[in-house]
Every structure is written in C-alpha cells, then in structure tokens.
Amino acid sequence: KKVLILFVIILFLISCGKDDPADLTKTYEELGTEFVELLAEENYDKIITKFDAIMKIALTKKKLKAAWEEQKSVYGDFEEIESVSRSKYQTYEIVVVKASFIKDGKTAYLDIKITYDAKKKVAGLFFIPSSGPKDYESVSYVDRSKFTEEEIVFGDQAWALPGYLTIPKVEGPFPAVILVHGSGPNDRDETLGPNKPFKDIAWGLSSSGIAVLRYDKRTMVYSEKVIENIHDFTVNEETIFDVISAVEFLAGDDRIDSNRIYVLGHSLGGMMIPKIASLTKHPAGFIIMAGTIRKLEDLTLEQVEHIAAADGKVDAKEEKNINEIKKMIEKIKEIQKGKRMENPELILGASNKYWIDFDEYDICRTAKMIKKPVFIIQGERDYQVTMKDLELWKECLTGLNNFTFKSYPALNHIFIAGDGICVPEEYFKPGHIAPEVIQDLINWINTNSGK
C-alpha cells in the first residue's frame, strides 16, 4: 500500500552541467517554481545542476527520472502549479509546491517539497500526497477565506517536529486545539489513503474561529533514529513528550489565548489523553475521538478477528494468522507479568519496555483524576475501537459531570460516513469527516470557552 510519502528522496546527485549564477538572485519561491516546471518538462539534465554536493553523490539522472515517472503513474499528467509556500528549518529553506495532475479525468494533488541550503542548492526532495484546495470546495464546514495556514517547527532540538498552525482571520486571541495522532508513523494530516482527517478538523475549526496545531509524528520524522533506540522507546517518546511541547509552544504564541488551549486525541492519541492531562495542567479541556481504556494488545486481536470474519467466513489461512497473533499477545502478557526486560525483542512492532510501560498505565483510574471538561466521541461503525469501548468509558466515569459522551451511527474509525460492516478497504475511499462531528467540536469548544 502506498501511504503517506510514496517516494521519499533525501538523496543527491552528480551534476552534468554548470551552475547557474542567476539562481543566486532568485527568491526561494521562484527557485521552487522553476524546479517543478523543469520536472514537468522532464529536463533532468538541467535539474541536476541545481543539487548540492551531497545530492550529487546518490541520485543519478536515471533515478530522478524513475522517481518522477512513479509519481505520474500514480497521479497522471502534470496540469499546473496550484500554490507555492516557504518556511525555514534550522539553516535550510523549505519550499512546498502544490501541483495538480489529471488522471482518468480526475484531478489529484501532490506536494513537491524542496529543501534548499544557504547557497540556494537543492539539499532534499520529497513527493508527498496532498489534498488540493479544490478538494474542499464542496465541504460545507470549510471556508478557505477565513483562515491562514503557516509552517511551524516546535519541540526539543533533538526531536524538533514540523507542522502547520491554522490561524483564523478574525480578531484574536483565539482558542486553540492540538491534534494527537493514532498509532503508526502518521503525518500531520493523519493521512490514510486519500483521506486526511486532521486536515478536515483543522480547516473546519479554523473556518469557525479556532486555531489548530497539527504536526508530523516523531516516528515519521525520525524513523531511523527511533529504530536505533527502539528498545528504550515507549509511548512517552512516541506521543506524550511531543504533545507537552506543543502545549508549551502554543502557550507562548501571543495570538493564542493560553487559557483556552485544548488537546484532541484520536485512537491511540485518545487513549493517551488521561496521561497527557496528568502531566500538564495548562489545557482547558480534552477531546477523545475513538479512544479506549482497554489494553492495546487486546484491541489488536479483536481487530484481526473482525477483518477475518467480515466476509462471513474465516478460512484456514485467516485462522492461522489469528492464532499467530494470539501467540504474540500471550508473549506480551508474559513480558508484562514478569516485567521482563532481559532478552529484548519486538512483538507487534514494539519493545518489551513499550509493552510493560503501557501495561502500567491505568487509563480508567488516570481519567478519573481529570478535573477539566472532556468530550468523548465514538463512531458506531468503528471496528478498531467499538461501542463496547464507549460503554467502558461511561462505566468508568459514572457520576463525573465534567465528561460528555456522544456517538454517531454511520461513522467509522476516522469519523467518515459509510454503510454496512466497516472493513479496511473503506479507508481508501475518498471522503471527509462528517459535518456533524466538526460542528459538535466547535460547539463544545465554544461552550467551554465561555462563548
């Protein structure tokens, strides 16, 4: 499956021509525009003169051509440049050129991200799937004229994360929401196939006067570094520490009302909301979307069993896969019971330390300690986190008036509407978060912000 970055290049190449001194007089936006125009013309000889010394070692003309042809095979024929934006990261300038393509009569969008060094040489190139502005013209809750979106970088220098901050165009300071991802190396939009639920939330809320911060997850930005330290890696490093940094970042922005910062967690992010709340007193409230108080490994087995049985039967191969998952979960339980740190191994992609740390986190008990308002919402067609989980939240939090609950009959795990039994293939059909969810989030935030 081609998810998130379809073809990532931090590679570099040998120049076949002379440097163009005129490049030094151009803005970074002009350089980025010219770069994409050269790609569209397939003028690879000219392009490779734009690369820096490191780029000139690894990416040949042949590889560059293959990379571009790969994009065209997915997106179609290049149509035009939709927009150009620029941001700074440490000593580098980053230009993102949003380009539109046509395939089978349909328009698709690709973000071409070009990193420039101080000498205006290309030091990095990324092709990133994108939702273009035209994709949102018919989305009822988005009004692109009512907010701006800017590139930001926050956090500890060793783990600094890039993201977007959407800012309403009305008078501030604004209430703000930080979006916290589910499991896996998610990008800032929590992209899943053609769907971008975090972009939907950000654009929907900012169209109604609420600022939103979303960012690329640590496991995506620093994948190699994470792997090197995987046996010391817990959900704190995966999620918690970066949320705390995001809260501090927003609290220091004069455009944001520091007394009206909210944290929204989806899936794993929702499970972590009680722990986040226990570690920072700053947020005014919390939102849990498709979170649970159950153990992560137990949910994994339930999901696998659902997928296997979705077509009405479980064949021998599926039964074998289920049994293998059961054995892995038994091993996880043994590690948790014995707090076994020796003989480190990876089970379901996580280390002994990760599973032990997760087991020691009592979500229900920690949630009961939250004194701020909390909104817990659930899609009733969600098979990853189910209505059983919503009922467990209600049982756990009985009598606590700061918690509000709501479920949506037609919605799946990413809060997009569908019919029948939900299966993974549904996530690869284009859609947007249901309007009633966006409106409920807006109403809840405004109510708790004193509006």
Side-chain angles (χ1 to χ4, degrees), residues 415-435:
F415 291 83
I416 293 177
D419 299 307
I421 297 175
C422 183
V423 292
E425 289 77 13
E426 183 173 315
Y427 299 140
F428 290 85
K429 297 177 182 178
H432 295 279
I433 285 186

Side-chain angles (χ1 to χ4, degrees), residues 98-390:
K98 186 181 295 295
S100 60
F101 294 74
I102 294 290
K103 185 174 184 179
D104 299 328
K106 296 181 179 180
T107 302
Y109 298 90
L110 181 69
D111 283 348
I112 302 169
K113 185 175 181 179
I114 310 155
T115 301
Y116 288 94
D117 64 16
K119 296 180 179 179
K120 296 189 173 179
K121 287 294 185 180
V122 175
L125 176 63
F126 297 79
F127 295 123
I128 306 172
S130 173
S131 292
K134 293 178 183 175
D135 291 338
Y136 285 81
E137 287 179 356
S138 62
V139 180
S140 61
Y141 49 78
V142 171
D143 185 340
R144 199 63 185 84
S145 69
K146 290 187 176 181
F147 64 90
T148 60
E149 188 166 76
E150 60 188 49
E151 291 264 6
I152 54 99
V153 177
F154 71 92
D156 180 81
Q157 187 173 1
W159 298 99
L161 296 176
Y164 285 139
L165 179 60
T166 51
I167 297 289
K169 289 184 178 179
V170 294
E171 184 178 355
F174 311 102
V177 177
I178 297 164
L179 304 184
V180 186
H181 326 71
S183 302
N186 285 289
D187 68 2
R188 65 193 68 183
D189 293 328
E190 208 182 37
T191 302
L192 183 55
N195 300 303
K196 296 179 177 289
F198 275 10
K199 183 173 185 177
D200 291 348
I201 295 172
W203 284 22
L205 268 55
S206 291
S207 294
S208 292
I210 300 167
V212 179
L213 187 157
R214 66 194 199 274
Y215 55 93
D216 295 334
K217 198 173 174 182
R218 183 184 294 203
T219 45
M220 177 186 176
V221 179
Y222 298 100
S223 57
E224 292 184 3
K225 193 173 177 180
V226 167
I227 291 170
E228 290 173 0
N229 298 278
I230 193 66
H231 292 295
D232 290 317
F233 197 74
T234 71
V235 76
N236 293 314
E237 289 79 17
E238 180 185 9
T239 298
I240 304 295
F241 294 157
D242 295 325
V243 179
I244 304 303
S245 293
V247 171
E248 294 171 353
F249 177 83
L250 277 187
D253 191 320
D254 292 339
R255 297 169 297 177
I256 303 302
D257 185 339
S258 61
N259 294 315
R260 294 189 292 164
I261 295 174
Y262 298 85
V263 179
L264 181 157
H266 175 239
S267 196
L268 176 68
M271 296 173 74
M272 291 301 109
I273 286 295
K275 190 168 188 179
I276 293 165
S278 73
L279 295 174
T280 173
K281 304 303 180 185
H282 211 116
F286 304 89
I287 299 165
I288 298 172
M289 295 181 69
T292 180
I293 64 173
R294 287 195 282 163
K295 299 298 183 183
L296 189 60
E297 63 271 19
D298 296 334
L299 284 182
T300 301
L301 176 60
E302 195 171 283
Q303 291 169 20
V304 172
E305 291 176 332
H306 170 91
I307 294 169
D311 60 358
K313 62 181 185 302
V314 179
D315 61 29
K317 184 177 180 180
E318 289 170 330
E319 188 66 43
K320 181 181 178 182
N321 290 338
I322 291 171
N323 289 332
E324 288 177 354
I325 294 293
K326 286 180 177 178
K327 290 177 182 177
M328 292 181 190
I329 291 173
E330 288 175 5
K331 185 174 285 189
I332 289 171
K333 300 291 188 185
E334 291 172 3
I335 289 171
Q336 291 171 335
K337 185 177 180 179
K339 298 190 183 299
R340 197 172 75 230
M341 295 299 295
E342 71 277 10
N343 302 319
E345 56 186 314
L346 296 181
I347 308 173
L348 296 179
S351 68
N352 299 36
K353 188 174 183 179
Y354 187 98
W355 290 117
I356 292 170
D357 177 76
F358 212 107
D359 185 57
E360 292 174 346
Y361 172 36
D362 187 330
I363 302 176
C364 176
R365 182 179 62 81
T366 311
K368 289 179 178 179
M369 298 169 64
I370 302 176
K371 304 303 179 184
K372 307 286 181 64
V374 182
F375 189 25
I376 302 178
I377 62 176
Q378 176 68 41
E380 295 184 18
R381 293 179 58 255
D382 186 351
Y383 71 85
Q384 292 170 259
V385 177
T386 68
M387 288 297 290
K388 174 182 178 180
D389 296 287
L390 183 63

